[in-house]
Amino acid sequence: MTKAFLFAATTALILAVLFLYFQNFSVKQTADIGRMAQVLVSEKVAHTWSDIRDDIYRATNLRVSQQNNSITLNDLLPSAQNVSNLLNLYGLFIDTKYLTPDLSVKFLSPSGQPMNLSDISSTLMILPFNIQYGYDDWWKKDAFITTLDKTGGNLSAIIMIYMTINLTDSYLYCTPANPSGPAPCYTGEIKLCGQKDKLYLNLSFSDYLGHYFNLPDNCFDRTYPGVEKLHYKNASAEQDLFVDIGKLTGAGTGSGVSIQAGYPVINLTTTLILNTTDFYTNYLSQLQVSAVNYNTSRTDWS
Amino acid sequence: MKRAIVFTLDALFAVSILTVFLAAVSLELNVPKETYWLPEMGNNLMTSLDKIGVFTSLIQQSSPQAQATLTAYLSTVPKNINADMTVNIYRWQNGAFVLDKSIHAAYDVISPSQETHIKRVFTDASNNYFGVAELILSYD
């Protein structure tokens, strides 16, 4: 009798332990599968986000990188087509041919409102200094760095602007960069800096033939509407490239640097060295990619 | 007789416990790890092909050339992975996306047990070309 009771009790105990073990195992497996699905969806969202961001970079030909206290912008001027139209087509393409029903993509304005990709801003903003980099329009015939404040006071946050203008289909036709040039490279009207209102700029030019010219001065008066004129030549024309330095009268409203490119194709590399690492950049728009059936999304400046 | 019955049930329990244990271990080991790394491998491959300009280079290639290009890249995946890729290139014409070229390449496709689908969009927007590449990676 006692043996039978012990036997029954042991059996019940073993079965209970087994039941609990399997219940626990089942819960764990379900949770693992859920986590795995979440990880996979997150990966998909992240890859889709960077996929679209890369294409926007490609369509705008503008690439921005930020490190410590510097920000570098690699740009190509002008655009063969209106970038706004290209972006509009791209937005239509991803909606109709690329996106699967489980994903949704939105472009958001700086205030977070949904917008069309064709309405994307042609300027990006370095905050909190309100320093803008951008173009008059998406044909990108000019590019400027300027401040929103008319006095250009926020430019004092910049230790130095390194700007390299590389002509890819024209060549420098001025001395000393090109000994056969008819005019000096350093012409125009520029006011060098005094004790205040300084704009630090290291401006250099190069071309596809290897000619190179570096403007000898790098401190300018930001309240004076200065202009540097550089003579260049290509197969069809011999013209001047204008770089406004100081108080801007055309593009932008404040002080800074503006390149009126127009015809030559320019690879423009601009590096801003700031006096702090405490800054951030509002790019052209915010891109939001969401997984429709999961609470997973990525929203960031693109 | 009694002793024999007790012995038999005892053995039965031992066997069932062992079976349950083995089943549990087997289930644990059977979690398909490739479910994790297969999509990651596919995404890395597609991102690389896009960033080094392979997809946009297909736009200017003839269909046989483009297929050879894709096959060459797919042959770099490990031998135990099967890869199947379709690239559709569209051109914006008369207000619509018109299919300009469809390229298909496959590498070592044999009865897969696990598979993953990866898509990547690319564009040569200034020439009005837009494309979607779809990769299926599978694992035997």
Side-chain angles (χ1 to χ4, degrees), chain A residues 5 62 93 154 181 212 246 255 260 281:
Chain A
F5 177 76
L62 173 65
F93 185 78
N154 285 337
Y212 179 80
S255 294
Q260 298 160 34
T281 309

Side-chain angles (χ1 to χ4, degrees), chain A residues 155-170:
Chain A
L155 287 175
S156 55
I158 299 177
I159 295 173
M160 182 66 79
I161 301 171
Y162 290 94
M163 186 175 266
T164 305
I165 297 173
N166 179 251
L167 308 179
T168 62
D169 65 347
S170 312

Side-chain angles (χ1 to χ4, degrees), chain B residues 20 22 27 30 39-41 47-50 56-57 66 77 80-81 88-89 98 100 108 117 132 140:
Chain B
V20 165
L22 288 177
L27 273 172
N30 262 340
E40 194 55 35
M41 174 186 274
T47 305
S48 305
L49 291 179
D50 193 4
T56 46
S57 76
V77 301
N80 57 338
I81 308 290
N88 289 323
I89 297 169
V98 179
D100 184 70
D108 195 24
H117 294 240
V132 175
D140 292 327

